[in-house]
Amino acid sequence: RNRKQGGGGGQEEEDETQKLNRPAHAAFKGFDPHTEIRTCAKMRSSEMRHVKNDLVASYPMLAPILEAAVKGGTLRLAKCSGQTSSFLSLVLDGKLPLMFQSRGGPFFPLLRLLHRFPDMLPHFRVDAGALRHVISGAVVMAQGLCNTGGQMADVVAGTAVALMVENKEHAVGIAVALRSTEAIRKDPTGPAVEVLHVLKDGLWPLIETAG
């Protein structure tokens, strides 16, 4: 979703709202799907259609998968409850987790789904030296995107992006741009991307545990 540019109280309020609607990556470090997925139920037909329409609007390449899931009645919604996941929901196709959502905010794809559809999100690539910081869940700094080896698609602030790393084929994380690409290039210092979900965090093994 686009964020309005400029100052003033309205901007601060919008920023705070978006913070609430984005999952904090740190929460997923301790997430245990074995104990924190409390319910996992088949959606009603109306819910399936609503979720399918929302997801296809953002991720049109998923239309065939979601249409088949709605037709087959296999879309499920998992609700999590625990110290690290009180506001986390998951959309599954049968036992296959597809998306995650926090605090009623936007849906984001799980990394395993992104690996199947690598172009479903715009790409932000950091230089090789930033890899360990990305995997640790640290906020990605503008320098890592603007250095040699870094690269950015043109996006507005608040856009979900696939985090790539120089010389790596597959995305290592899913994140949200804190500033527009134009703003990052204009001032290549300070925080640029908030990491949501990375390889080997608590969401990564969901495909092995959902049931």
Side-chain angles (χ1 to χ4, degrees), residues 117-193:
F117 300 94
D119 295 324
M120 68 186 298
L121 294 177
H123 290 193
F124 268 33
R125 188 178 71 201
V126 297
D127 61 53
L131 174 60
R132 64 186 181 91
H133 300 291
V134 171
I135 295 299
S136 73
V139 171
V140 176
M141 307 303 281
Q143 293 93 321
L145 293 162
C146 296
N147 287 344
T148 301
Q151 189 175 350
M152 293 177 286
D154 290 323
V155 303
V156 298
T159 300
V161 298
L163 270 181
M164 316 297 293
V165 177
E166 181 184 15
N167 300 325
K168 300 291 183 183
E169 180 182 358
H170 299 293
V172 300
I174 290 168
V176 169
L178 298 175
R179 293 184 277 156
S180 69
T181 304
E182 181 182 5
I184 294 170
R185 289 185 178 130
K186 187 176 294 185
D187 178 15
T189 61
V193 175

Side-chain angles (χ1 to χ4, degrees), residues 86-122:
S86 297
F87 302 99
L88 179 65
S89 299
L90 305 162
V91 173
L92 302 92
D93 178 9
K95 293 186 178 182
L96 177 65
L98 301 176
M99 316 292 291
F100 67 97
Q101 178 194 46
S102 183
R103 298 179 183 270
F107 282 102
F108 298 96
L110 288 159
L111 260 177
R112 294 182 189 271
L113 181 63
L114 179 62
H115 289 170
R116 288 178 60 192
F117 300 94
D119 295 324
M120 68 186 298
L121 294 177

